Amino acid sequence: MSRPERLTSFLILVVVLALGAAIPPAAAASERIAGDGWAMTVHYPAGDGPVPAVIVMPGCSGNRPPAVARGLRAHARALNAAGFAAAIVDVLSPRGLDTICARPALLARLTQAVPADIADAAARLGRLRRVDARRLAFLGQSF
């Protein structure tokens, strides 16, 4: 991809995310689900479903810093407005961690456990009545 094409793609992404952040939250429900080593908050679009879902995986700074939490809520609003459930997964807080950025030994250890946690969260998400288990997607962050 050429530099102008990358810039155009980046600008389109910025506009889509900005528009998603400006969308007011729908009167929709959310629920929290937890497993061994992970927790997930599922934000649903309006309606009964079943709907496709996007699993939003964590960044290396976790889900709790205020700027990160605002960004995750913006992702959820944008996905909900597009008709998707947004399942925001946290694999750090349940382990008593707030960040793994610049902590290579910890990162190496978690790289063994986190894929299984995400698979477990996806399986649990797929069993929810309001989610179409045949239409799950993943949105990765920096971790």
Side-chain angles (χ1 to χ4, degrees), residues 38-71:
W38 60 270
M40 174 172 61
T41 304
V42 184
H43 301 274
Y44 295 102
D48 292 332
V51 297
V54 176
I55 298 166
V56 181
M57 296 180 290
C60 70
S61 60
N63 298 13
R64 294 190 184 261
V68 172
R70 282 191 303 275

Side-chain angles (χ1 to χ4, degrees), residues 3 10 12 30 43 71 77 81-82 128:
R3 182 176 166 85
F10 175 74
I12 289 170
S30 65
H43 301 274
R77 285 192 303 272
L128 298 177

Side-chain angles (χ1 to χ4, degrees), residues 38-121:
W38 60 270
M40 174 172 61
T41 304
V42 184
H43 301 274
Y44 295 102
D48 292 332
V51 297
V54 176
I55 298 166
V56 181
M57 296 180 290
C60 70
S61 60
N63 298 13
R64 294 190 184 261
V68 172
R70 282 191 303 275
L72 292 171
R73 286 191 303 271
H75 280 311
R77 285 192 303 272
L79 289 164
N80 288 167
F84 293 88
I88 299 171
V89 178
D90 181 359
V91 294
L92 297 184
S93 298
R95 290 178 164 89
L97 301 169
D98 58 355
T99 183
I100 56 169
C101 299
R103 297 176 73 182
L106 185 56
L107 177 62
R109 191 182 88 221
L110 288 179
T111 337
Q112 302 298 315
V114 169
D117 292 344
I118 298 294
D120 186 33

